[in-house]
Amino acid sequence: MSSTATPPRDAANKRAYTQLRNLRNIFDQALYAVLHEKRALDRFLSSCWRSNRQYGSRDRRLFSESIFAFFRFYGWLELLLTDAERQILRRGESLQLPGRSVAMLLNTAWTLENLPMEEAHKLLRREFELPRFPEPEAELTAEKLQSRFAALASEYLQQPHPLPDWELLQSQWSRDLLQEMPDRTAYFKSLAKRPPLWLRIQNADPTAVIRELSQAGLTVRRHGKISTALAVTAGSVNLYTLPAYRDGRVEVQDLASQIIAHVCAPQRGERWWDCCAGAGGKTLALAELMQRTGKVVAGDIRSYKLDDLKKRARRSGFPNIETRPWNGKKVPPRQSNKFDGILIDAPCSCSGVWRRNPDGRWNSSAEEVAQITIIQRKVLENVLDALRPNGVLVYATCSAFEQENCTMIRNFLQDHPEFELESFTDPVSGTTCGGMLKIIGADENCDSMFAARMRKKSQA
C-alpha cells in the first residue's frame, strides 16, 4: 500500500480496488489537515466532498467512517507502529508510512468501530495478509473492544500485547486539564463510542411522535426523566424528510443541551437573552419551555447562524423568538436591565463533544484552552448590565475542563459579589445542585457539558 494495494486482475474487484486507492488518498489528506494544519475533520471532509463530486454516498460513507474511526482510536492505534513511524504519524505525514502500516491502522479502526466489512477492507486484508476481520456484533462491550485490539496487535506484532489503557483515547495534555468526576475510567471508556442521536419533541404529544417515528423505521428510546427527549437507537431513515421534522414537532438536540435549557428554567412571559445562540438549539428549547410566551432574543456574532435559527423558528411556528446580532462587546447603557434571564452558551474548547468529534482530542492544545478562557470571561463581563436585578444568569459550556467550568465561575463570583450561585434541581437525577452541574456524557450516553446558575442580587 505505497499508495494502495496491487491492482487486481479480476474485474469484479475493480471497484473495491478503486475505493481502497481513494480511501488511502483521502486518509493521507485528512491526517495532514487535522494533525499538521489543525483543521476540524468534519469541515475538511465537507470541503473534500464539494471538490470531488465523483464520490457517491457509498464512497463518502466508507471514507468518513474509516477516518472518524481512526481518530476515535488514534491513541491505541499508535501502539501498532514503530517509534519512527509514530513520529511521522504525529506530524500528519502518513503518506510516508509503509502500505502495511496504514493497512494495520485502517483494519483495526474499522474493527474497533464495529462496522460491517466493505469489499475494500476485504481487499486490504488479503493484499497485506492481515488477521481475519472479526464480524460486527450487535453490542460490542468495552471489554470486548480492549480484547479485540490486544488480539489484533499480538498478531500484527508477533508478540503478546497487553490490554490498552482507556485513558490513551485522549491526549495527555487534555487529560491533565479534566475536571473532577466520579469515575474517570467510565468517561474514558465512553470516548470509544459515539453517543446516539438525540431528539427533542416540541408542541406535540410525545406518544404520537414516537409512534410516527417508529412507523417511519426509527427505533427511539424515551428518556426516563425528560419526557420530551428521545434517543434514536436504530434505523437509517433520513430524519429531515419526515413530516415530524418538517412540521417542527421534533428538533435534533443532544440530551446535554436539553438539560441546559431546563437548568435555565425560564418562566412564562419572561424576557431572555441567549447571547451566544449559534444555530439556536437552546433558543428554541427556552422558547418552548416558556410555552411560547414572553420573548427569547437570540444573539451571535455570526449572522449566518442566526439565519439558520430564523428558518428553524418559522418551521416550528414560534411567535416568541427574535434574532439580533451581537458583536460580543459590552452592552450599551440603553440596553441595561432588559432581561429577566441571560444564557451564555460560551465559546469553549468543545472537549465535551469529543465523542462526536474525536479529531479534537488530537488537533487542539492547552494554549488554545487558555486563550478561550479569556474570551469566556470577557463575554461574562460584557453581558452583566443587560440583566435586571434579581435576574438569572446561566453560564454553560460543552467542555470537560476545570478551568473553563468551575474555576471560571469561582473566579467570576469572587470579583462580582452582586451575584451568587442559586441551587436548582438536577433535571436528570432529581437531586439538588449547589448552583453548578457537571453533565458527564458517560452517565447519560450524551455529550459532556457544564452549567452554573447564578442570581443577580436585588438592589437595595
Side-chain angles (χ1 to χ4, degrees), residues 200-204 247-251 266-270 283-296 312-321:
R200 181 176 56 79
I201 302 171
Q202 57 188 17
N203 201 32
D247 298 343
R249 286 176 283 122
V250 296
E251 280 285 344
Q267 302 301 305
R268 284 179 55 88
E270 288 185 335
T283 301
L284 297 171
L286 291 174
E288 181 72 6
L289 288 174
M290 292 165 63
Q291 300 176 42
R292 305 189 175 217
T293 66
K295 179 164 288 188
V296 182
R312 297 170 74 183
R314 283 197 299 268
R315 185 181 70 241
S316 303
F318 277 100
N320 60 334
I321 291 177

Side-chain angles (χ1 to χ4, degrees), residues 33 55 83 86 94 158 167 184 232 301-302 305 426:
Y55 297 140
D83 289 342
R86 198 172 297 126
S94 58
Q158 296 297 300
E167 66 177 18
R184 284 171 67 99
V232 179
I301 198 169
R302 302 159 296 180
K305 287 286 188 180
D426 182 341

